Amino acid sequence: MKKGQKTMLGMTWMSYLGSAYGCLKQAGMWDGGIHELFGLTGMGFHFIMHESLCPSGPTVYNWLEEHFEMLDRIGVYTRQEFVFKASATNTFDLARESATGMIQQSIEAGKPVITWGPTHIAEFGIIYGFDSQDRVFFVEDCMPEEPDPLLYDNLGLSDVPIFYVQYLVDKTDFNYDDSVLNALKFGLNYWKSKVILSPKYTSGKMAYEAIINGLEKTDYDPFGLSYCVNVYSDMKTNMMKFFTQIAKKEKFSFLVPVLDQYQQVVDAFAQAVKWAPFKGPTGEYHYTDEAINGLIRSMKTAMESEEKFMQIVSQNIEQ
Amino acid sequence: MGQLHRIKWFHERLLKQEYPNCKDISLTFEISSRQALRDVDYLRYSLDAPVEYNRSKGGYEYTDSFSLPLYFLRDDEKDRLEYLASQYALLPGKNSMELSNLFQKIAGEQRGRKEHFQINTSDFEEIITKAIAYSKKLIICYQKPSGLSEKRIIDPYRLFYRFNKSYLFAFCRERADFRVFLIDRIKDLEVSQQVYSFHEDFFENYQLIATSFTRQKKYTAQIFFSHKPDLYRFTEPQWDDSNHILTFSFVKSSNLFIKLINLDMDYPGFTFRVLSPQWLAEKLHNRLKTLSPHF
């Protein structure tokens, strides 16, 4: 018998945030907008690039640590399981099998589960239902078509074989302003960080430099470039809404004079999206010299504007 | 002197309307008349040159304007292009088909014209590449991890490399399903003269089995059919003749749906009913409901 309520991802290019939004809404743990979730969790500061500009950037960070902290900032306690299927890993199948019952329990309690790769797409998604007779989980990914369910036997066996689930356990009250402050500190750290998991990945200001270097050397993944530009354009648009919202509070009014700077970041990314439109995973990606030069100009503008914005954040929260 | 040199010489005389013939080629290059005739045939058939014999002049002439191509491909280079043409033909999308046609055009010859091909190598990968380009079945002796070898008849689809090893993605006739074969474990190999036809489930199986290597399982379905369908269109089919129930594996419900609709079109009055899994029955039912206003 089929159990669980259909749960859609939130409308965003960042699949973890979209999945978290969908699950939290369904579980009654979040009633704000998606831009607010971007900001409060700190996910909206996740600007990470690989030196090849491949599409992995937006999902390469410490999932266990950061996903816990992100939802903790909105007062949601979560449990997670993470096992990478390396050739020397013995317990991968045990982890998957033991999780089946936990996922069912969470769904029966009205809490869908955030997971990695529930379909062949290497992105986060949602497990929202199950049918024990057919031995399948009902899932949702970031594509518009309704995906086929996930066989119990295939849990964790995506093309990037990481078994990852995050259960929403419970919710507590939290101090909104403290969480904003906490998220801004997290964002500032990301802006200045040098290495994210691997030396080939950079974040914040250095992520901009990675894009500019890749474009100048004409040595980059053309699909990844378009994908990342689109993901981050969406993210920064959401963050603009968030900053505009919190700047109305006296505690964060220091943002008011630099909102225009952040708007320039958003505008530069919107222009970059025009130079590097997304044509789907099977589309052809070619860039003219005009497009490459346009992208470099956009990224330089965005980097300078975000630098000014983050300087103000730094001056005000590190006092 | 090579064939290219002789053809250039012959072409220049044709342009000057000197009506050269095989004897001229034979005498100039000290080759047999039969070999000279093969040069003329190559120009006419392989390069599509409008060359005709003019009896009154006692030699050949161009009946239309013609230029020699700027480059010539060796046979092994043509085989590689034919291989690429066959691989792109398997991929979905208009761009892939255009690339397939382009590679075929550069390779020159149409695969359909060639019924036999020469094997001048003992390199398994070379042989498999040719077999794929010409859609020939292979009979292989394959060593299982246990060390035992067994004979398999396979339709080779694609060679690929993973972790410094070569693999072959193929349709195994014994298993009636797609399989990945490690080239190092192929102990013997024979090219069959039988041509295989393209299996419509190739791409989704390739994505599931060959791109991830995570041994993901396929869905299993049971469907009642009023008429026995063509079992080759399914993978791992088991037909229960007394109850008219087909059990088979599949990868994507959307592709299965298209297949079932097409089966219906093939047989007037044909009906089917999904017995399991339940989710598939519901999904197909919903798809049919959205389509029904169009019929």
Side-chain angles (χ1 to χ4, degrees):
Chain A
M1 195 176 78
K2 187 175 175 179
K3 290 186 178 177
Q5 286 290 315
K6 189 167 174 65
T7 306
M8 307 292 284
L9 275 75
M11 289 289 284
T12 170
W13 280 72
M14 295 203 97
S15 61
Y16 174 76
L17 206 281
S19 302
Y21 179 82
C23 291
L24 290 164
K25 277 263 185 190
Q26 184 67 41
M29 293 177 168
W30 180 255
D31 57 5
I34 202 158
H35 65 282
E36 209 173 1
L37 194 63
F38 259 110
L40 274 179
T41 58
M43 188 80 194
F45 294 104
H46 259 211
F47 180 40
I48 304 163
M49 290 299 297
H50 186 268
E51 62 183 15
S52 70
L53 315 190
C54 74
S56 64
T59 51
V60 174
Y61 51 89
N62 186 330
W63 294 357
L64 286 173
E65 192 177 301
E66 295 198 21
H67 290 168
F68 179 85
E69 288 176 2
M70 281 175 186
L71 297 200
D72 176 80
R73 284 189 194 105
I74 58 165
V76 174
Y77 173 60
T78 62
R79 283 202 195 101
Q80 303 173 83
E81 294 184 56
F82 178 107
V83 187
F84 177 70
K85 186 181 168 59
S87 55
T89 309
N90 294 313
T91 56
F92 186 80
D93 289 338
L94 277 181
R96 298 187 311 121
E97 285 160 20
S98 68
T100 301
M102 294 274 288
I103 295 169
Q104 290 169 344
Q105 279 176 31
S106 182
I107 290 165
E108 284 178 327
K111 296 167 193 164
V113 174
I114 302 164
T115 191
W116 169 255
T119 63
H120 69 277
I121 300 159
E123 295 276 6
F124 290 96
I126 294 172
I127 303 176
Y128 68 83
F130 65 93
D131 184 332
S132 289
Q133 195 175 336
D134 285 345
R135 292 182 54 77
V136 292
F137 289 117
F138 296 101
V139 297
E140 198 60 52
D141 63 12
C142 50
M143 300 302 278
E145 302 84 26
E146 186 190 349
D148 285 340
L150 173 69
L151 287 168
Y152 286 178
D153 290 330
N154 287 346
L155 181 64
L157 295 182
S158 66
D159 293 350
V160 180
I162 297 170
F163 168 59
Y164 174 80
V165 281
Q166 186 176 23
Y167 309 100
L168 308 178
V169 181
D170 213 342
K171 183 169 168 58
T172 186
D173 293 336
F174 67 99
N175 182 296
Y176 194 94
D177 287 0
D178 285 353
S179 284
V180 171
L181 198 61
N182 194 344
L184 288 174
K185 283 179 182 169
F186 170 79
L188 200 58
N189 189 38
Y190 248 87
W191 177 253
K192 293 174 179 174
S193 287
K194 201 166 186 177
V195 174
I196 304 295
L197 286 183
S198 149
K200 292 190 174 183
Y201 290 89
T202 47
S203 77
K205 187 178 179 185
M206 276 169 277
Y208 279 114
E209 288 166 354
I211 299 177
I212 294 164
N213 286 342
L215 288 168
E216 285 177 343
K217 285 191 286 185
T218 63
D219 178 19
Y220 57 85
D221 176 336
F223 166 78
L225 169 66
S226 170
Y227 171 80
C228 290
V229 161
N230 279 273
V231 167
Y232 293 131
S233 175
D234 168 60
M235 181 186 84
K236 288 178 189 296
T237 302
N238 274 294
M239 288 304 278
M240 182 67 208
K241 279 176 82 176
F242 175 69
F243 291 137
T244 307
Q245 185 175 310
I246 60 166
K248 290 171 187 161
K249 286 176 165 264
E250 194 184 337
K251 188 167 185 179
F252 303 107
S253 58
F254 62 84
L255 291 174
V256 172
V258 281
L259 283 177
D260 285 350
Q261 292 294 342
Y262 204 85
Q263 184 60 49
Q264 284 179 32
V265 176
V266 174
D267 293 345
F269 266 90
Q271 186 58 46
V273 163
K274 288 181 185 163
W275 292 119
F278 191 69
K279 298 168 185 169
T282 56
E284 286 192 13
Y285 292 85
H286 302 294
Y287 302 100
T288 61
D289 288 346
E290 187 189 10
I292 292 169
N293 291 331
L295 282 160
I296 292 171
R297 279 197 306 275
S298 295
M299 289 302 104
K300 284 183 175 172
T301 303
M303 180 171 69
E304 286 166 17
S305 301
E306 193 159 350
E307 171 83 322
K308 288 173 188 165
F309 181 87
M310 293 308 280
Q311 274 174 1
I312 295 299
V313 172
S314 175
Q315 285 165 17
N316 284 275
I317 69 169
E318 291 185 331
Q319 282 171 355
Chain B
M1 289 292 180
Q3 187 190 38
L4 171 60
H5 187 74
R6 295 197 298 272
I7 285 173
K8 273 187 174 170
W9 178 90
F10 189 61
H11 169 72
E12 281 162 15
R13 265 129 203 93
L14 286 168
L15 288 179
K16 290 177 188 169
Q17 294 184 308
E18 290 178 2
Y19 302 97
N21 56 31
C22 291
K23 194 177 170 188
D24 295 333
I25 303 173
S26 169
L27 288 172
T28 306
F29 295 99
E30 296 177 337
I31 59 171
S32 68
S33 297
R34 186 181 289 270
Q35 201 172 350
L37 185 61
R38 279 203 292 272
D39 288 350
V40 177
D41 283 347
Y42 182 80
L43 185 63
R44 180 189 279 158
Y45 299 117
S46 295
L47 301 180
D48 286 332
V51 185
E52 296 295 342
Y53 189 75
N54 186 325
R55 283 186 185 280
S56 62
K57 300 286 184 183
Y60 291 92
E61 65 179 354
Y62 279 141
T63 56
D64 203 350
S65 58
F66 178 74
S67 313
L68 278 179
L70 295 173
Y71 54 84
F72 286 86
L73 296 170
R74 296 191 311 270
D75 282 348
D76 62 323
E77 289 172 329
K78 283 183 184 176
D79 284 339
R80 286 182 198 287
L81 285 169
E82 292 239 7
Y83 172 75
L84 285 175
S86 68
Q87 291 299 290
Y88 276 97
L90 296 175
L91 297 175
K94 185 169 160 276
N95 292 335
S96 305
M97 192 46 69
E98 282 177 358
L99 277 171
S100 171
N101 292 336
L102 179 63
F103 286 128
Q104 190 63 64
K105 197 171 170 183
I106 300 169
E109 295 175 64
Q110 291 294 318
R111 280 192 296 156
R113 281 197 210 164
K114 296 180 178 178
E115 289 187 358
H116 302 283
F117 63 89
Q118 297 279 318
I119 298 171
N120 303 316
T121 175
S122 57
D123 183 333
F124 281 179
E125 285 186 42
E126 284 285 318
I127 297 169
I128 292 168
T129 300
K130 272 199 165 188
I132 293 171
Y134 293 73
S135 304
K136 298 283 189 185
K137 290 185 185 194
L138 290 172
I139 303 151
I140 62 167
C141 182
Y142 191 68
Q143 187 182 48
K144 293 194 286 187
S146 63
L148 292 172
S149 294
E150 62 181 15
K151 187 179 155 186
R152 305 263 190 112
I153 299 170
I154 60 171
D155 302 345
Y157 277 95
R158 179 171 288 181
L159 280 167
F160 63 97
Y161 299 89
R162 181 72 59 89
F163 309 128
N164 296 323
K165 287 186 176 169
S166 299
Y167 295 88
L168 170 63
F169 181 73
F171 187 82
C172 175
R173 292 280 162 175
E174 273 71 25
R175 305 286 184 271
D177 198 9
F178 293 90
R179 289 285 186 275
V180 170
F181 296 96
L182 181 61
I183 298 294
D184 288 347
R185 288 219 196 116
I186 297 177
K187 298 301 167 193
D188 197 15
L189 182 155
E190 185 189 329
V191 180
S192 163
Q193 286 310 313
Q194 274 188 298
V195 175
Y196 65 82
S197 57
F198 170 68
H199 197 292
E200 61 200 292
D201 295 344
F202 157 77
F203 193 63
E204 63 196 57
N205 276 277
Y206 181 76
Q207 281 189 315
L208 184 82
I209 300 167
T211 59
S212 72
F213 260 50
T214 52
R215 295 181 183 276
Q216 293 176 56
K217 290 194 176 163
K218 297 203 271 186
Y219 303 108
T220 302
Q222 282 198 318
I223 298 185
F224 164 83
F225 287 101
S226 59
H227 295 73
K228 184 179 179 181
D230 176 3
L231 297 187
Y232 177 69
R233 297 189 64 179
F234 297 87
T235 51
E236 302 178 276
Q238 288 175 0
W239 176 246
D240 175 348
D241 204 35
S242 53
N243 295 306
H244 274 222
I245 294 171
L246 179 69
T247 306
F248 61 96
S249 62
F250 70 99
V251 178
K252 287 177 86 170
S253 68
S254 53
N255 291 354
L256 175 62
F257 180 73
I258 293 165
K259 186 185 297 191
L260 293 171
I261 293 292
N262 285 329
L263 286 174
D264 195 11
M265 289 165 74
D266 291 341
Y267 302 90
F270 183 91
T271 59
F272 66 85
R273 189 171 71 251
V274 179
L275 305 176
S276 72
Q278 186 59 32
W279 69 265
L280 180 68
E282 284 173 19
K283 200 164 182 177
L284 294 190
H285 181 72
N286 292 337
R287 286 284 307 269
L288 281 170
K289 270 204 299 193
T290 58
L291 282 177
S292 58
H294 301 289
F295 291 96

